[in-house]
Amino acid sequence: MMATALPGLPERVTIYEVGPRDGLQNEDTVLPAGVKAEFVTRLAGAGLRTIETTSFVHPKWVPQLADAEELLGLLPRSPGVRYPVLVPNERGLDRALALGATEIAIFGSATETFARRNLNRTVDESLAMFAPVVDRARAQGLWVRAYVSMVCGDPWEGEVPVEQVVSVASRMMDMGCSQLSLGDTIGVGTPGQVTALIRAITDAGIGTDRLAVHFHDTYGQALANTLAALQAGVTIVDASAGGLGGCPYAESATGNLATEDLVWMLDGLGVETGVDLRELVSTSRWMAGRLGRPSPSRVVQALSPGSEQS
Amino acid sequence: MMATALPGLPERVTIYEVGPRDGLQNEDTVLPAGVKAEFVTRLAGAGLRTIETTSFVHPKWVPQLADAEELLGLLPRSPGVRYPVLVPNERGLDRALALGATEIAIFGSATETFARRNLNRTVDESLAMFAPVVDRARAQGLWVRAYVSMVCGDPWEGEVPVEQVVSVASRMMDMGCSQLSLGDTIGVGTPGQVTALIRAITDAGIGTDRLAVHFHDTYGQALANTLAALQAGVTIVDASAGGLGGCPYAESATGNLATEDLVWMLDGLGVETGVDLRELVSTSRWMAGRLGRPSPSRVVQALSPGSEQS
């Protein structure tokens, strides 16, 4: 297919691949580290340049990622490919530093209820916990990404006021983080809300050069929200190969925006991503086989042999 | 959730529901007419005001809709609810007229290959077949919708030139049709292509007051394309309750844009549709039970009890 541009969109989008971390941590199946390493390596081979690989959260909470050390040891270091890892606290940072990680991410919440449920802390307490993590990481020269979750809605609190998101995001960025990822963790947001949120964030001084969006497709809105975000100036988009990862906080098995569905749109729009869609689909089909369930990505389904029967 | 508008969108969108026709005709299961009548009645009860109900195509081609006469006889006539029916030719028009149909649709193709495969005719021959149908229907005071299919791509011909779509659409509208529906039958289109196509159609003199869009979610693009179409001035959107209907011409089981996913977005944007989402989801869950398979609608999945396990 030839590409047809849509005026006002960026020429290039950076895809921040979250499948190995945000995807696999929400899958029931626990995979061997060797399979995960092959997954990450194949994703890099498909052209993804930033791949969030694992999390140094306590294995008690996320047993799927208990092999973080082993996995990082198996990854080939390729020039131009970055493997950020999630660190929940200083203990996690210690583990990441010991392995020579150069990019980390911290994961905050825009809402009190989710902060308590996910981090076992108030929002203030969680920010107090992150401050020394960012300080120490920055002192070591690490690149730090700040996630803010539940930016559109929260299962317990309903719609989340924009000012609340801006406040938490600003406090995390003021610590010295290099990039902010706005996460609609339960996938309830719609394009007007996304646009208003991005405007409020940029008005607060966090420019689109430091801003990513992270959508879940729980209500089918992820790609439309992404389009709205691109129209609002965003150029960094989180996505998960094959749509891996259910959302444990929403009543649905549907998880992250599938990288393939995003790449299909961007290819069609003539927006460069550097990703080879066929390689990516092939990787996600292989991973679906390892997980023993079909990929929820529409593109992976459409391009897989044997799916011609409706 | 509160609504957040996106500047430039219409205040109100008319949903043209295609589930009973375009949805069920592509489902393997053949349902009794009584179940279909209950389906249509429940859709009207959920606030849908235009419901394409069935097709007068020969039962040999679409056995799922062989009960068109019986079904129409079972539908309650409600003021304000319209039940268009698809008619492929004059024989179909005779059947529709005999039953007192007041709204019909004809189904053309933008490409020669699909015209030959679906209509067993060239594009010119198919238009020659439609001309007397539209003439006679108009003479009887019927409202006529013109579908143009394969407007973004064709499985055999690849990308379809915009001029080709405009030419077929103009010829059908010049016959005297009241509304045009642009169908991305295989779901390959992306928002730039959609925007360019709508611009070309309106430049050709077919205003957005007479223009609908019809997207399939085969590659996950349907809702993003709908957003682009609304931004280009479209106010009539085709959708299928529960996402019913695979696409027999694409290698995927994923069919029409789900009405629920559309309504979720429009509700979130504060765009009026008159549709009660909960009633609609309840109807689609009931229909999924009759068809013996889960609804492909993300919203239906997310709002269905028992789906909380990822």
PDB file of all heavy atoms in Angstrom, chain B residues 122-146:
ATOM      1  N   THR B 122     -19.013  -6.476 -14.615  1.00  0.00           N
ATOM      2  CA  THR B 122     -18.057  -5.366 -14.577  1.00  0.00           C
ATOM      3  C   THR B 122     -18.687  -4.230 -13.786  1.00  0.00           C
ATOM      4  O   THR B 122     -19.894  -4.229 -13.500  1.00  0.00           O
ATOM      5  CB  THR B 122     -17.735  -4.857 -15.994  1.00  0.00           C
ATOM      6  OG1 THR B 122     -18.931  -4.282 -16.529  1.00  0.00           O
ATOM      7  CG2 THR B 122     -17.247  -5.973 -16.905  1.00  0.00           C
ATOM      8  N   VAL B 123     -17.867  -3.232 -13.457  1.00  0.00           N
ATOM      9  CA  VAL B 123     -18.411  -2.059 -12.769  1.00  0.00           C
ATOM     10  C   VAL B 123     -19.486  -1.408 -13.632  1.00  0.00           C
ATOM     11  O   VAL B 123     -20.579  -1.068 -13.152  1.00  0.00           O
ATOM     12  CB  VAL B 123     -17.277  -1.060 -12.422  1.00  0.00           C
ATOM     13  CG1 VAL B 123     -17.858   0.280 -11.986  1.00  0.00           C
ATOM     14  CG2 VAL B 123     -16.374  -1.628 -11.325  1.00  0.00           C
ATOM     15  N   ASP B 124     -19.207  -1.236 -14.914  1.00  0.00           N
ATOM     16  CA  ASP B 124     -20.201  -0.622 -15.807  1.00  0.00           C
ATOM     17  C   ASP B 124     -21.497  -1.425 -15.838  1.00  0.00           C
ATOM     18  O   ASP B 124     -22.600  -0.873 -15.782  1.00  0.00           O
ATOM     19  CB  ASP B 124     -19.641  -0.515 -17.233  1.00  0.00           C
ATOM     20  CG  ASP B 124     -18.710   0.689 -17.389  1.00  0.00           C
ATOM     21  OD1 ASP B 124     -18.698   1.541 -16.468  1.00  0.00           O
ATOM     22  OD2 ASP B 124     -18.006   0.759 -18.410  1.00  0.00           O
ATOM     23  N   GLU B 125     -21.348  -2.741 -15.949  1.00  0.00           N
ATOM     24  CA  GLU B 125     -22.555  -3.593 -15.991  1.00  0.00           C
ATOM     25  C   GLU B 125     -23.337  -3.496 -14.687  1.00  0.00           C
ATOM     26  O   GLU B 125     -24.566  -3.509 -14.685  1.00  0.00           O
ATOM     27  CB  GLU B 125     -22.155  -5.042 -16.260  1.00  0.00           C
ATOM     28  CG  GLU B 125     -21.705  -5.295 -17.706  1.00  0.00           C
ATOM     29  CD  GLU B 125     -20.972  -6.627 -17.877  1.00  0.00           C
ATOM     30  OE1 GLU B 125     -20.764  -7.340 -16.866  1.00  0.00           O
ATOM     31  OE2 GLU B 125     -20.595  -6.939 -19.027  1.00  0.00           O
ATOM     32  N   SER B 126     -22.616  -3.403 -13.583  1.00  0.00           N
ATOM     33  CA  SER B 126     -23.325  -3.330 -12.304  1.00  0.00           C
ATOM     34  C   SER B 126     -24.080  -2.002 -12.195  1.00  0.00           C
ATOM     35  O   SER B 126     -25.214  -1.955 -11.718  1.00  0.00           O
ATOM     36  CB  SER B 126     -22.359  -3.523 -11.133  1.00  0.00           C
ATOM     37  OG  SER B 126     -21.465  -2.433 -11.030  1.00  0.00           O
ATOM     38  N   LEU B 127     -23.461  -0.939 -12.668  1.00  0.00           N
ATOM     39  CA  LEU B 127     -24.151   0.351 -12.614  1.00  0.00           C
ATOM     40  C   LEU B 127     -25.375   0.337 -13.538  1.00  0.00           C
ATOM     41  O   LEU B 127     -26.430   0.878 -13.186  1.00  0.00           O
ATOM     42  CB  LEU B 127     -23.188   1.478 -12.995  1.00  0.00           C
ATOM     43  CG  LEU B 127     -22.031   1.694 -12.004  1.00  0.00           C
ATOM     44  CD1 LEU B 127     -21.064   2.752 -12.519  1.00  0.00           C
ATOM     45  CD2 LEU B 127     -22.531   2.058 -10.613  1.00  0.00           C
ATOM     46  N   ALA B 128     -25.230  -0.319 -14.681  1.00  0.00           N
ATOM     47  CA  ALA B 128     -26.381  -0.443 -15.587  1.00  0.00           C
ATOM     48  C   ALA B 128     -27.506  -1.237 -14.936  1.00  0.00           C
ATOM     49  O   ALA B 128     -28.694  -0.969 -15.158  1.00  0.00           O
ATOM     50  CB  ALA B 128     -25.942  -1.108 -16.896  1.00  0.00           C
ATOM     51  N   MET B 129     -27.123  -2.213 -14.098  1.00  0.00           N
ATOM     52  CA  MET B 129     -28.133  -3.006 -13.381  1.00  0.00           C
ATOM     53  C   MET B 129     -28.825  -2.161 -12.307  1.00  0.00           C
ATOM     54  O   MET B 129     -30.018  -2.313 -12.049  1.00  0.00           O
ATOM     55  CB  MET B 129     -27.450  -4.224 -12.765  1.00  0.00           C
ATOM     56  CG  MET B 129     -28.344  -5.076 -11.875  1.00  0.00           C
ATOM     57  SD  MET B 129     -27.464  -6.534 -11.219  1.00  0.00           S
ATOM     58  CE  MET B 129     -26.313  -5.777 -10.062  1.00  0.00           C
ATOM     59  N   PHE B 130     -28.056  -1.259 -11.661  1.00  0.00           N
ATOM     60  CA  PHE B 130     -28.636  -0.458 -10.580  1.00  0.00           C
ATOM     61  C   PHE B 130     -29.569   0.642 -11.089  1.00  0.00           C
ATOM     62  O   PHE B 130     -30.530   1.019 -10.397  1.00  0.00           O
ATOM     63  CB  PHE B 130     -27.527   0.214  -9.748  1.00  0.00           C
ATOM     64  CG  PHE B 130     -26.656  -0.747  -8.988  1.00  0.00           C
ATOM     65  CD1 PHE B 130     -25.285  -0.538  -8.886  1.00  0.00           C
ATOM     66  CD2 PHE B 130     -27.224  -1.862  -8.354  1.00  0.00           C
ATOM     67  CE1 PHE B 130     -24.479  -1.424  -8.173  1.00  0.00           C
ATOM     68  CE2 PHE B 130     -26.408  -2.746  -7.651  1.00  0.00           C
ATOM     69  CZ  PHE B 130     -25.036  -2.526  -7.558  1.00  0.00           C
ATOM     70  N   ALA B 131     -29.272   1.172 -12.286  1.00  0.00           N
ATOM     71  CA  ALA B 131     -30.012   2.356 -12.752  1.00  0.00           C
ATOM     72  C   ALA B 131     -31.529   2.162 -12.702  1.00  0.00           C
ATOM     73  O   ALA B 131     -32.236   2.994 -12.112  1.00  0.00           O
ATOM     74  CB  ALA B 131     -29.534   2.757 -14.146  1.00  0.00           C
ATOM     75  N   PRO B 132     -32.068   1.064 -13.266  1.00  0.00           N
ATOM     76  CA  PRO B 132     -33.529   0.906 -13.201  1.00  0.00           C
ATOM     77  C   PRO B 132     -34.034   0.646 -11.775  1.00  0.00           C
ATOM     78  O   PRO B 132     -35.179   0.996 -11.463  1.00  0.00           O
ATOM     79  CB  PRO B 132     -33.800  -0.301 -14.116  1.00  0.00           C
ATOM     80  CG  PRO B 132     -32.498  -1.015 -14.238  1.00  0.00           C
ATOM     81  CD  PRO B 132     -31.429   0.019 -14.090  1.00  0.00           C
ATOM     82  N   VAL B 133     -33.183   0.050 -10.938  1.00  0.00           N
ATOM     83  CA  VAL B 133     -33.583  -0.162  -9.535  1.00  0.00           C
ATOM     84  C   VAL B 133     -33.815   1.184  -8.871  1.00  0.00           C
ATOM     85  O   VAL B 133     -34.854   1.423  -8.238  1.00  0.00           O
ATOM     86  CB  VAL B 133     -32.507  -0.959  -8.756  1.00  0.00           C
ATOM     87  CG1 VAL B 133     -32.854  -1.045  -7.272  1.00  0.00           C
ATOM     88  CG2 VAL B 133     -32.315  -2.347  -9.354  1.00  0.00           C
ATOM     89  N   VAL B 134     -32.855   2.093  -9.046  1.00  0.00           N
ATOM     90  CA  VAL B 134     -32.971   3.416  -8.410  1.00  0.00           C
ATOM     91  C   VAL B 134     -34.130   4.186  -9.035  1.00  0.00           C
ATOM     92  O   VAL B 134     -34.935   4.802  -8.317  1.00  0.00           O
ATOM     93  CB  VAL B 134     -31.649   4.205  -8.539  1.00  0.00           C
ATOM     94  CG1 VAL B 134     -31.788   5.580  -7.885  1.00  0.00           C
ATOM     95  CG2 VAL B 134     -30.495   3.426  -7.900  1.00  0.00           C
ATOM     96  N   ASP B 135     -34.244   4.119 -10.361  1.00  0.00           N
ATOM     97  CA  ASP B 135     -35.350   4.815 -11.039  1.00  0.00           C
ATOM     98  C   ASP B 135     -36.697   4.396 -10.488  1.00  0.00           C
ATOM     99  O   ASP B 135     -37.524   5.236 -10.116  1.00  0.00           O
ATOM    100  CB  ASP B 135     -35.336   4.471 -12.545  1.00  0.00           C
ATOM    101  CG  ASP B 135     -34.423   5.409 -13.329  1.00  0.00           C
ATOM    102  OD1 ASP B 135     -33.968   6.415 -12.732  1.00  0.00           O
ATOM    103  OD2 ASP B 135     -34.167   5.123 -14.510  1.00  0.00           O
ATOM    104  N   ARG B 136     -36.907   3.097 -10.439  1.00  0.00           N
ATOM    105  CA  ARG B 136     -38.206   2.582  -9.998  1.00  0.00           C
ATOM    106  C   ARG B 136     -38.427   2.882  -8.519  1.00  0.00           C
ATOM    107  O   ARG B 136     -39.536   3.220  -8.102  1.00  0.00           O
ATOM    108  CB  ARG B 136     -38.292   1.078 -10.248  1.00  0.00           C
ATOM    109  CG  ARG B 136     -38.442   0.724 -11.730  1.00  0.00           C
ATOM    110  CD  ARG B 136     -38.534  -0.787 -11.905  1.00  0.00           C
ATOM    111  NE  ARG B 136     -39.522  -1.369 -11.009  1.00  0.00           N
ATOM    112  CZ  ARG B 136     -39.503  -2.631 -10.579  1.00  0.00           C
ATOM    113  NH1 ARG B 136     -38.530  -3.447 -10.973  1.00  0.00           N
ATOM    114  NH2 ARG B 136     -40.441  -3.085  -9.783  1.00  0.00           N
ATOM    115  N   ALA B 137     -37.363   2.741  -7.711  1.00  0.00           N
ATOM    116  CA  ALA B 137     -37.495   3.007  -6.280  1.00  0.00           C
ATOM    117  C   ALA B 137     -37.859   4.472  -6.043  1.00  0.00           C
ATOM    118  O   ALA B 137     -38.752   4.795  -5.249  1.00  0.00           O
ATOM    119  CB  ALA B 137     -36.194   2.652  -5.562  1.00  0.00           C
ATOM    120  N   ARG B 138     -37.177   5.351  -6.757  1.00  0.00           N
ATOM    121  CA  ARG B 138     -37.441   6.784  -6.603  1.00  0.00           C
ATOM    122  C   ARG B 138     -38.865   7.117  -7.065  1.00  0.00           C
ATOM    123  O   ARG B 138     -39.549   7.934  -6.445  1.00  0.00           O
ATOM    124  CB  ARG B 138     -36.433   7.574  -7.425  1.00  0.00           C
ATOM    125  CG  ARG B 138     -34.997   7.404  -6.912  1.00  0.00           C
ATOM    126  CD  ARG B 138     -34.630   8.469  -5.929  1.00  0.00           C
ATOM    127  NE  ARG B 138     -34.679   9.769  -6.592  1.00  0.00           N
ATOM    128  CZ  ARG B 138     -34.675  10.937  -5.961  1.00  0.00           C
ATOM    129  NH1 ARG B 138     -34.630  10.960  -4.638  1.00  0.00           N
ATOM    130  NH2 ARG B 138     -34.716  12.062  -6.637  1.00  0.00           N
ATOM    131  N   ALA B 139     -39.291   6.477  -8.144  1.00  0.00           N
ATOM    132  CA  ALA B 139     -40.638   6.719  -8.643  1.00  0.00           C
ATOM    133  C   ALA B 139     -41.692   6.325  -7.613  1.00  0.00           C
ATOM    134  O   ALA B 139     -42.788   6.894  -7.565  1.00  0.00           O
ATOM    135  CB  ALA B 139     -40.859   5.952  -9.956  1.00  0.00           C
ATOM    136  N   GLN B 140     -41.340   5.350  -6.778  1.00  0.00           N
ATOM    137  CA  GLN B 140     -42.262   4.912  -5.719  1.00  0.00           C
ATOM    138  C   GLN B 140     -42.052   5.715  -4.437  1.00  0.00           C
ATOM    139  O   GLN B 140     -42.634   5.388  -3.407  1.00  0.00           O
ATOM    140  CB  GLN B 140     -42.011   3.428  -5.400  1.00  0.00           C
ATOM    141  CG  GLN B 140     -42.165   2.490  -6.569  1.00  0.00           C
ATOM    142  CD  GLN B 140     -43.612   2.078  -6.779  1.00  0.00           C
ATOM    143  OE1 GLN B 140     -44.421   2.152  -5.853  1.00  0.00           O
ATOM    144  NE2 GLN B 140     -43.962   1.704  -7.992  1.00  0.00           N
ATOM    145  N   GLY B 141     -41.139   6.698  -4.467  1.00  0.00           N
ATOM    146  CA  GLY B 141     -40.909   7.531  -3.289  1.00  0.00           C
ATOM    147  C   GLY B 141     -39.972   6.921  -2.259  1.00  0.00           C
ATOM    148  O   GLY B 141     -39.917   7.375  -1.111  1.00  0.00           O
ATOM    149  N   LEU B 142     -39.233   5.887  -2.649  1.00  0.00           N
ATOM    150  CA  LEU B 142     -38.318   5.250  -1.689  1.00  0.00           C
ATOM    151  C   LEU B 142     -37.043   6.086  -1.504  1.00  0.00           C
ATOM    152  O   LEU B 142     -36.588   6.772  -2.415  1.00  0.00           O
ATOM    153  CB  LEU B 142     -37.923   3.846  -2.167  1.00  0.00           C
ATOM    154  CG  LEU B 142     -38.814   2.692  -1.695  1.00  0.00           C
ATOM    155  CD1 LEU B 142     -40.237   2.880  -2.190  1.00  0.00           C
ATOM    156  CD2 LEU B 142     -38.247   1.353  -2.145  1.00  0.00           C
ATOM    157  N   TRP B 143     -36.486   5.948  -0.306  1.00  0.00           N
ATOM    158  CA  TRP B 143     -35.165   6.517   0.009  1.00  0.00           C
ATOM    159  C   TRP B 143     -34.139   5.465  -0.392  1.00  0.00           C
ATOM    160  O   TRP B 143     -34.316   4.276  -0.097  1.00  0.00           O
ATOM    161  CB  TRP B 143     -35.130   6.792   1.507  1.00  0.00           C
ATOM    162  CG  TRP B 143     -33.855   7.354   2.062  1.00  0.00           C
ATOM    163  CD1 TRP B 143     -33.543   8.669   2.220  1.00  0.00           C
ATOM    164  CD2 TRP B 143     -32.752   6.612   2.616  1.00  0.00           C
ATOM    165  NE1 TRP B 143     -32.313   8.808   2.828  1.00  0.00           N
ATOM    166  CE2 TRP B 143     -31.793   7.556   3.079  1.00  0.00           C
ATOM    167  CE3 TRP B 143     -32.456   5.260   2.769  1.00  0.00           C
ATOM    168  CZ2 TRP B 143     -30.589   7.184   3.685  1.00  0.00           C
ATOM    169  CZ3 TRP B 143     -31.253   4.890   3.358  1.00  0.00           C
ATOM    170  CH2 TRP B 143     -30.336   5.840   3.805  1.00  0.00           C
ATOM    171  N   VAL B 144     -33.081   5.892  -1.091  1.00  0.00           N
ATOM    172  CA  VAL B 144     -32.095   4.929  -1.592  1.00  0.00           C
ATOM    173  C   VAL B 144     -30.685   5.293  -1.119  1.00  0.00           C
ATOM    174  O   VAL B 144     -30.220   6.420  -1.312  1.00  0.00           O
ATOM    175  CB  VAL B 144     -32.097   4.869  -3.142  1.00  0.00           C
ATOM    176  CG1 VAL B 144     -31.133   3.789  -3.630  1.00  0.00           C
ATOM    177  CG2 VAL B 144     -33.499   4.623  -3.677  1.00  0.00           C
ATOM    178  N   ARG B 145     -30.040   4.326  -0.515  1.00  0.00           N
ATOM    179  CA  ARG B 145     -28.634   4.492  -0.119  1.00  0.00           C
ATOM    180  C   ARG B 145     -27.753   3.760  -1.123  1.00  0.00           C
ATOM    181  O   ARG B 145     -28.067   2.638  -1.554  1.00  0.00           O
ATOM    182  CB  ARG B 145     -28.443   3.907   1.276  1.00  0.00           C
ATOM    183  CG  ARG B 145     -27.003   3.553   1.614  1.00  0.00           C
ATOM    184  CD  ARG B 145     -26.835   2.973   3.002  1.00  0.00           C
ATOM    185  NE  ARG B 145     -26.411   4.012   3.940  1.00  0.00           N
ATOM    186  CZ  ARG B 145     -25.467   3.842   4.886  1.00  0.00           C
ATOM    187  NH1 ARG B 145     -24.862   2.684   5.042  1.00  0.00           N
ATOM    188  NH2 ARG B 145     -25.138   4.816   5.690  1.00  0.00           N
ATOM    189  N   ALA B 146     -26.615   4.351  -1.461  1.00  0.00           N
ATOM    190  CA  ALA B 146     -25.633   3.710  -2.346  1.00  0.00           C
ATOM    191  C   ALA B 146     -24.390   3.355  -1.550  1.00  0.00           C
ATOM    192  O   ALA B 146     -23.741   4.233  -0.976  1.00  0.00           O
ATOM    193  CB  ALA B 146     -25.272   4.658  -3.488  1.00  0.00           C
TER     194      ALA B 146
END
